[in-house]
């Protein structure tokens, strides 16, 4: 473990300036820098050069200083383009010097070049691009350190996440049962899920301390803003490689409402420079939580030794807040988010289950009495840019929408209407709840199921053999109403089918664990009151992981998490089987629209953004993009007269 108490007087700035003259021949002014144990100084030379003089605690081992010096020299050779501190030799050519300080203690002294920049802790905002650049920098560092070794890297360190269980013996220092329980939760996850796989995780020498006071951000005048460097290599050690990105993510989520998005940005950047393995991604959530647990426990312990030590407790409050937010999130969902950030399928087994659904979907029973594969139907376009709905958002309100749907079906002479899967809609206003998405300030728009508009009382059939898993009545506005979830087996993999907007009497006839045979009529469609005022319809959805949300599993998702939720809830048409030619064309992706734009428009009409907006709807002062995001149009006369 690191030292617990100071046993030497701090070095003053005058003594630091003298050391720089005697050892390095540098005439400079010295300014003290913060540090937990050692004395650090910013040296400024008249000619504009800057250095960091490091005067080590008397009990520091020389081997640990040599570890840092050798690692920095290795990085200078392997990754010379990285903006990292460089070790400066003294007048004798040595990288480190032993001196006798004014208080009579022996001190190790070494010198680094000073890197300008703003500490991440003092910089706002922390954009996704900025956090991504931090992850990429750390990935480049760890990639360059793969062939580096040093005897001192094999060290006992309280920040080594593979040995983090030491905090179990210090929980009594944490004030209040709720906070102790929070730490105990992550200790339990660590011991039951992380420790068993540790032998299978890669190990290497890592930087190990990308906290927000050790990360430097580029000058505000240089765009794009990026992480330029990390400082203080005192926590370098040989450990689990993925701990690097876990530590950085733990600090990146401090003060963030959407902790998953912040962590995912760091993970994505790291993966782009140094690809993470599947087991490492699976362990990340627990490791991030454990780093925060170690941090708050260490702060609580240190306060019992020195209550006034502000350096130790500087991030304590924000770390508790981040730990609380992290604990609200389902660990598997976090895993899916991290995989998605790395460009991988969010749910590892999703492809296998979807193949099973494709193979068995052709033999599945029709959901309704009429065979949906052949029965006449009309497919509605309820998307953002829908011509059926029109530009006025009020046409999407229930009072206007229901008559339009009924009239269209009557005019087409059909008894079945279909609402599309994975369609961005402006029909929903309720928030996403549960233990998955935290507090995204975003409207839900992406429809995860298929709507089947039919007469009330229409029987609903099971497409496959299943077991009743959930029977519930969601009475919240714009929710499912009476809902049933069946559980199915796909050659060892479980998945679920959800049936929303059923009749209330359906719930009385079903019991948890009841077996439902393929083709069995097990439910009925509810009336318009049981459908929240909408025309009677069935919301049918396939779910590969309920995430312990059960009947609260979302039927509509955030556009920013579209790829994750559509992976967890694949296309219901795998079982419904409506021919593809019946579906109207969907809004083409941005890439196709950009390609068409380049073919048609001249190059003098430039784009204003790195990620161009695709506006598909306008009404009054508002514009709507293809995912349902709303923009206030401030150009020309629009704010006054509208579109």
């Amino acid at each position: 473990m690191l030292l617990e108490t100071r046993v030497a007087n701090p070095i003053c700035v005058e003594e630091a300036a003298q050391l720089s003259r005697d050892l390095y021949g540098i005439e400079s002014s010295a300014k003290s820098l913060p540090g937990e144990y050692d004395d650090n100084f910013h040296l400024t030379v008249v000619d504009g050069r800057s250095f960091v003089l490091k005067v080590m605690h008397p009990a520091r081992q020389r081997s640990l200083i040599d570890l840092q010096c050798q690692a920095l020299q290795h990085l200078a050779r392997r990754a010379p383009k990285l903006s990292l501190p460089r070790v400066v030799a003294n007048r004798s050519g040595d990288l480190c010097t032993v001196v006798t300080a004014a208080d009579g203690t022996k001190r190790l002294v070494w010198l680094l070049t000073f890197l300008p920049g703003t500490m991440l802790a003092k910089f706002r905002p922390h954009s996704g691009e900025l956090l991504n650049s931090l992850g990429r920098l750390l990935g480049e560092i760890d990639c360059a350190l793969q062939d580096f070794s040093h005897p001192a890297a094999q060290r006992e360190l309280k920040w080594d996440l593979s040995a983090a269980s030491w905090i179990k013996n210090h929980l009594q220092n944490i004030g209040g049962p709720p906070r102790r329980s929070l730490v105990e939760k992550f200790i339990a996850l660590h011991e039951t899920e992380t420790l068993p796989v540790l032998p299978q995780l890669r190990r290497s020498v890592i930087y190990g301390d990308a906290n927000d006071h050790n990360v430097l951000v580029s000058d505000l005048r240089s765009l794009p803003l990026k992480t330029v460097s990390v400082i203080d290599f005192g926590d370098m050690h040989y450990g689990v490689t993925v701990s690097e990105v876990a530590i950085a993510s733990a600090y990146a989520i401090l003060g963030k409402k959407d902790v998953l998005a912040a962590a995912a940005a760091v993970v994505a950047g790291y993966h782009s420079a140094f690809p993470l393995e599947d087991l490492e991604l699976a362990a990340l959530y627990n490791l991030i939580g454990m780093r925060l647990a170690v941090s708050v426990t260490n702060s609580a312990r240190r306060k019992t030794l020195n209550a006034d030590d502000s350096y130790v407790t500087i991030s304590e409050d924000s770390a508790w807040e981040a730990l609380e937010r992290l604990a609200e999130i389902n660990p598997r969902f976090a895993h899916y988010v991290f995989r998605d950030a790395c460009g991988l399928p969010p749910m590892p087994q999703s492809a296998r289950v979807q193949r099973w659904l494709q193979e068995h979907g052709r033999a599945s029973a029709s959901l309704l009495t009429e065979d949906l594969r052949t029965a006449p139907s009309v497919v509605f376009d309820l998307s953002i840019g829908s011509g059926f709905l029109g530009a006025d958002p009020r046409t999407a309100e229930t009072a206007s929408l229901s008559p339009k749907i009924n009239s269209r079906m009557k005019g087409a002479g059909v008894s079945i209407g279909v609402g599309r899967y994975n369609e961005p809609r402006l029909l929903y206003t309720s928030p996403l709840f549960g233990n998955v998405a935290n507090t995204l300030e975003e409207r839900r728009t992406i429809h995860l199921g298929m709507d089947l508009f039919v007469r009330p009382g229409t029987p609903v059939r099971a497409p496959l053999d299943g077991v009743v898993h959930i029977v519930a009545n969601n009475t919240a506005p714009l929710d499912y109403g009476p809902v049933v979830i069946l559980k199915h087996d796909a050659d060892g993999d479980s998945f679920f089918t959800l049936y929303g907007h059923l009749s209330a009497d359906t719930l009385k006839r079903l019991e948890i664990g009841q077996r439902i045979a393929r083709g069995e009529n097990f439910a009925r469609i509810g009336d318009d009151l049981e459908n929240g005022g909408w025309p009677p319809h069935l919301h049918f959805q396939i779910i590969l992981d309920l995430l312990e949300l059960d009947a609260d599993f979302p039927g509509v998702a955030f556009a920013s998490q579209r790829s994750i939720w559509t992976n967890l809830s694949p296309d219901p048409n795998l079982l419904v089987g409506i021919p593809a030619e019946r579906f109207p064309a969907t809004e083409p992706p941005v890439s196709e629209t950009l390609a068409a734009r380049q073919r048609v428009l001249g190059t003098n009409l430039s784009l204003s953004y790195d990620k161009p907006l695709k506006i598909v709807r306008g009404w009054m002062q508002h514009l709507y993009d293809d995912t349902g995001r709303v923009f206030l149009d401030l150009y020309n006369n629009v704010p006054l007269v509208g579109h």
Side-chain angles (χ1 to χ4, degrees), residues 140-386:
E140 290 170 338
I141 289 173
D142 286 354
C143 185
L145 287 174
Q146 283 301 286
D147 60 345
F148 175 76
S149 62
H150 193 284
Q154 305 275 357
R155 57 191 293 205
E156 183 183 1
L157 184 68
K158 66 183 176 183
W159 303 114
D160 182 356
L161 290 181
S162 62
S165 294
W166 68 266
I167 64 175
K168 288 176 62 177
N169 298 323
H170 300 278
L171 295 179
Q172 71 277 6
N173 295 319
I174 297 174
R179 285 188 165 181
R180 282 196 294 273
S181 296
L182 188 59
V183 172
E184 286 170 344
K185 171 181 177 175
F186 283 98
I187 291 174
L189 284 172
H190 183 71
E191 293 186 339
T192 59
E193 298 183 14
T194 306
L195 290 182
V197 302
L198 277 183
Q200 303 171 59
L201 301 179
R202 292 180 296 178
R203 289 179 174 266
S204 61
V205 176
I206 61 173
Y207 162 68
D209 195 18
N211 73 67
D212 51 350
H213 287 80
N214 282 348
V215 175
L216 298 180
V217 180
S218 59
D219 190 295
L220 293 173
R221 292 167 293 183
S222 63
L223 293 174
L225 291 170
K226 62 180 181 179
T227 301
V228 291
S229 189
V230 288
I231 57 175
D232 188 355
F233 283 68
D235 285 342
M236 290 195 79
H237 64 281
Y238 180 81
V240 176
T241 306
V242 70
S243 294
E244 187 81 274
V245 68
I247 293 165
S249 297
Y251 286 98
I253 69 177
L254 299 183
K256 310 296 192 303
K257 288 185 178 180
D258 184 4
V259 295
L260 272 188
V266 178
V267 172
Y270 188 93
H271 183 79
S272 68
F274 190 42
L276 291 159
E277 297 179 350
D278 288 347
L279 275 178
E280 293 172 329
L281 285 165
L284 255 177
Y285 171 87
N286 295 346
L287 289 171
I288 293 171
M290 202 58 181
R291 172 62 186 218
L292 290 169
V294 169
S295 179
V296 296
T297 304
N298 180 63
S299 294
R301 184 189 183 201
R302 293 289 299 174
K303 281 195 295 186
T304 65
L305 301 172
N306 184 358
D308 298 325
D309 193 343
S310 60
Y311 182 85
V312 173
T313 59
I314 192 169
S315 300
E316 184 182 12
D317 290 341
S318 56
W320 277 116
E321 181 186 22
L323 199 61
E324 290 165 0
R325 290 187 184 278
L326 196 66
E328 295 171 356
I329 297 169
N330 186 293
R332 295 195 306 282
F333 185 75
H335 179 207
Y336 303 152
V337 169
F338 295 149
R339 285 180 58 88
D340 182 68
C342 295
L344 301 170
M347 188 177 182
Q349 64 269 40
S350 62
R352 186 170 63 239
V353 178
Q354 290 194 53
R355 283 195 299 271
W356 189 95
L357 288 167
Q358 287 175 332
E359 293 170 3
H360 293 77
R362 291 184 291 272
S364 63
S366 176
L367 286 171
L368 305 178
T369 306
E370 296 181 84
D371 188 348
L372 292 167
R373 296 175 178 85
T374 57
S377 61
V378 58
V379 179
F380 293 104
D381 178 2
L382 303 178
S383 67
I384 311 298
S386 168

Side-chain angles (χ1 to χ4, degrees), residues 370-448:
E370 296 181 84
D371 188 348
L372 292 167
R373 296 175 178 85
T374 57
S377 61
V378 58
V379 179
F380 293 104
D381 178 2
L382 303 178
S383 67
I384 311 298
S386 168
F388 171 68
L389 294 177
D392 187 347
R394 290 174 294 185
T395 61
E397 295 174 358
T398 301
S400 300
L401 181 61
S402 295
K404 287 176 71 72
I405 289 176
N406 289 329
S407 176
R408 178 70 180 273
M409 289 173 62
K410 183 177 180 180
V414 300
S415 59
I416 302 172
V418 179
R420 297 182 297 187
Y421 162 77
N422 194 19
E423 182 177 63
R425 299 174 172 179
L426 287 176
L427 308 180
Y428 311 104
T429 57
S430 58
L432 185 65
F433 36 77
N435 60 351
V436 290
N438 213 350
T439 52
L440 289 176
E441 295 179 354
E442 181 182 356
R443 184 175 180 173
R444 293 191 293 143
T445 59
I446 307 301
H447 189 231
L448 297 175

Side-chain angles (χ1 to χ4, degrees), residues 4 123 129 138 248 295 325 339 376 382 456 506 531 560 594 622:
E4 294 298 340
F123 184 89
E129 290 78 10
L138 294 171
S295 179
R325 290 187 184 278
R339 285 180 58 88
L382 303 178
T506 292
N531 278 265
S560 64
L594 283 174
H622 291 123

Side-chain angles (χ1 to χ4, degrees), residues 464-540:
L464 302 163
D465 292 337
V467 175
V468 177
H469 186 70
I470 295 292
V471 177
N473 188 10
N474 287 6
T475 57
L478 302 177
D479 216 319
Y480 297 122
V483 59
V484 172
I485 298 177
L486 302 183
K487 184 177 182 179
H488 308 275
D489 177 71
D491 293 338
D493 290 313
S494 296
F495 71 95
F496 306 86
T497 51
L498 181 149
Y499 309 81
H501 307 302
L502 302 175
S503 65
D505 69 294
T506 292
L507 306 185
K508 301 175 184 177
R509 296 185 284 108
L510 295 174
E511 296 180 354
I512 304 299
Q514 180 179 336
R515 293 192 174 277
I516 305 295
R518 173 187 171 277
E520 179 181 342
N521 292 337
F522 72 96
R524 291 185 179 277
I525 302 295
D527 57 28
D528 55 352
L529 293 178
E530 291 166 317
N531 278 265
W534 273 41
H537 72 285
L538 172 70
H539 174 93
F540 176 64

Side-chain angles (χ1 to χ4, degrees), residues 383-386 587 614-618 623-628:
S383 67
I384 311 298
S386 168
E587 187 67 40
K614 183 175 182 180
I615 303 298
V616 297
R617 184 175 184 170
L623 296 173
Y624 304 84
D625 73 4
D626 56 334
T627 69

